[in-house]
Amino acid sequence: MGFVLFESDGHRCIAYNDLVRGDDGVQANQFLITDGDHSALIDPGGALLYNPLVLALGRDVRPHQIELLLCSHQDPDIIGSVDKWLLYTRASVVCSKLWGRFVPHLVPGYMENAGRERYLLVDDEGARIPLGDTEILALPAHFLHSVGNLSFYDPVSRILFAGDVCSGLVGSGVPYAFVEDFEAYRPCMEGFHRRYMASNRALRLWVDMVRELAPEMIVPQHGMPFRGAAIKPLLDWLEGLQCGVDLMGPVNHRPNPQRPPVRVGY
């Protein structure tokens, strides 16, 4: 069952979480925005999630009628199921222009009606994407962690869908709920952000943009959403975080022969 983030005058924003079976893959959230009879799906997920997500969506929208697939970046947990969505819906794929020639590698060449006419490619500075009587803003979030990364902002609900930025790694079965105590939740985020975000400079540019937007909620692709008093400490932390290339030292190109590859779950 979806978690309703916002609902007013025919406009709804719904989160779907914990659809991954156990430890089969990293838990990831998907988001539905509906405006009247029009609908967009944000970060629809990989093949692992396609069937569970379609079943979950069926309570809120007819999945084959979804018009837009808003994809923050190119990772498998974002777009791995794109071939199924192109096959079973008439949706257009919205992604950075940097990935416009890479995403089709996930789509079999024999599929009809899956060419460039199905893609809306976003320039580096972002774009306005019409949806019903409103629009969704595709905003630059480059190098966080992808070189062509996007955040999506819904001006009706004032929700910023932040993709991997602000994500926390939580296990299966954890109830989806707004973060109340940022400092208590921060350990779920710290290691992920230090490794996956490219640099403090990239984070600061994103934080400056978000502060100007002043969203009511910030909702990441992994982990829990933020609102109200939890947003300021979140942005303050990101603004000062050393990450990515900030932490790099000399590269050891001689692997330790005593350390074999890790086998997980097999």
Side-chain angles (χ1 to χ4, degrees):
M1 183 174 180
F3 182 97
V4 178
L5 295 164
F6 177 88
E7 184 171 18
S8 180
D9 297 328
H11 191 91
R12 304 179 81 204
C13 299
I14 302 172
Y16 303 90
N17 77 305
D18 203 28
L19 298 180
V20 176
R21 301 166 303 194
D23 295 324
D24 286 353
V26 65
Q27 289 295 340
N29 307 320
Q30 297 76 46
F31 306 101
L32 176 71
I33 301 177
T34 62
D35 191 77
D37 295 328
H38 303 271
S39 55
L41 188 60
I42 298 179
D43 291 344
L48 183 67
L49 283 176
Y50 178 76
N51 287 335
L53 178 58
V54 167
L55 291 173
L57 285 167
R59 301 186 180 101
D60 302 301
V61 70
R62 293 181 178 180
H64 71 277
Q65 294 181 331
I66 288 173
E67 300 169 22
L68 296 171
L69 301 176
L70 305 176
C71 302
S72 59
H73 58 287
Q74 80 291 353
D75 278 1
D77 61 323
I78 300 287
I79 58 154
S81 62
V82 68
D83 58 331
K84 295 178 175 62
W85 291 104
L86 289 175
L87 179 62
Y88 296 118
T89 76
R90 297 182 180 181
S92 295
V93 178
V94 179
C95 65
S96 164
K97 67 178 183 180
L98 295 181
W99 304 119
R101 295 180 66 187
F102 290 87
V103 175
H105 279 272
L106 297 169
V107 181
Y110 56 77
M111 271 184 56
E112 297 182 2
N113 193 30
R116 65 180 63 189
E117 72 279 359
R118 300 290 298 274
Y119 292 83
L120 298 175
L121 302 183
V122 177
D123 288 331
D124 283 348
E125 62 269 24
R128 296 177 179 270
I129 314 297
L131 179 69
D133 292 330
T134 184
E135 59 187 9
I136 306 299
L137 306 186
L139 301 172
H142 307 311
F143 301 101
L144 301 174
H145 65 102
S146 169
V147 297
N149 198 46
L150 299 171
S151 298
F152 296 104
Y153 180 66
D154 174 19
V156 176
S157 64
R158 296 183 63 190
I159 297 175
L160 178 66
F161 297 92
D164 274 351
V165 191
C166 307
S167 284
L169 299 183
V170 299
S172 299
V174 177
Y176 193 74
F178 287 98
V179 173
E180 299 289 343
D181 183 342
F182 174 74
E183 284 302 316
Y185 183 72
R186 181 169 56 84
C188 299
M189 307 172 61
E190 195 144 16
F192 176 81
H193 281 74
R194 289 189 184 279
R195 183 60 187 258
Y196 283 86
M197 303 297 118
S199 71
N200 177 256
R201 182 170 185 267
L203 278 174
R204 284 188 283 110
L205 290 170
W206 187 85
V207 167
D208 288 345
M209 177 186 70
V210 173
R211 283 181 173 145
E212 186 174 339
L213 280 174
E216 293 283 344
M217 303 179 204
I218 298 177
V219 182
Q221 193 221 352
H222 305 284
M224 303 302 164
F226 299 83
R227 68 179 175 185
I231 291 180
K232 184 181 184 303
L234 167 68
L235 296 180
D236 290 346
W237 176 71
L238 290 173
E239 184 177 45
L241 185 68
Q242 297 295 295
C243 56
V245 296
D246 305 326
L247 304 176
M248 285 188 69
V251 177
N252 179 7
H253 64 280
R254 295 184 177 87
N256 183 346
Q258 305 302 317
R259 184 175 296 171
V262 176
R263 298 184 183 275
V264 179
Y266 298 96

